[in-house]
């Protein structure tokens, strides 16, 4: 998987899920600990055409999981049956490029500005 396989990443907070988007979480480390943030993401046609994804009954969500010691991130794709899962490696460079492509800065990282409630 590459950064181009995921577009339109944005926080779920004060957002509604648009057509074609899936719920996503990003579990990541920051200087004070570990955090889980909730997003919506639009998978690309390449994502949906992947053989492992096509074998699932359907997809309910995607998790981006940071691994220890600089190992590649893991992408966990959940099946609607809750009995199947698919994991992909996602190099740090691709993960960061995905964030940059959507102008996302993770909470707890320099430059993050919390959403303002209207």
């Amino acid at each position: 998987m590459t950064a181009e396989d995921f577009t339109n990443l944005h926080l779920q907070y004060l957002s509604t899920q648009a057509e074609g988007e899936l719920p996503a979480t990003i579990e990541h480390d920051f200087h004070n600990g570990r955090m889980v943030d909730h997003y919506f993401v639009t998978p690309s046609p390449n994502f949906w055409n992947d053989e492992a994804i096509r074998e699932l009954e359907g997809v309910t969500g995607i998790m981006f999981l940071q691994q220890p010691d600089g190992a590649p991130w893991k992408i966990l794709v959940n099946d609607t049956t809750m009995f199947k899962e698919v994991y992909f490696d996602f190099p740090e460079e691709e993960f960061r490029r995905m964030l940059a492509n959507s102008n996302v800065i993770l909470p707890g990282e320099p430059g993050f500005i919390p959403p303002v409630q209207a």
Side-chain angles (χ1 to χ4, degrees), residues 12 23-27 36-40 61-65:
Q12 285 186 20
T25 59
I26 297 177
E27 183 178 295
V36 176
D37 310 307
H38 299 268
Y39 294 85
F40 290 119
I62 298 172
M63 297 178 71
F64 299 93
L65 307 165

Side-chain angles (χ1 to χ4, degrees), residues 39-92:
Y39 294 85
F40 290 119
V41 67
T42 304
S44 73
N46 185 53
F47 172 89
W48 292 113
N49 288 328
D50 185 277
E51 183 179 337
I53 300 299
R54 287 196 327 256
E55 290 179 5
L56 298 174
E57 300 296 319
V59 176
T60 57
I62 298 172
M63 297 178 71
F64 299 93
L65 307 165
Q66 188 174 25
Q67 301 301 298
D69 303 321
W73 287 67
K74 294 289 183 190
I75 301 171
L76 167 63
V77 181
N78 292 315
D79 180 272
T80 55
T81 66
M82 299 302 288
F83 292 108
K84 296 179 188 174
E85 299 174 333
V86 175
Y87 281 96
F88 297 98
D89 282 343
F90 202 41
E92 175 76 19

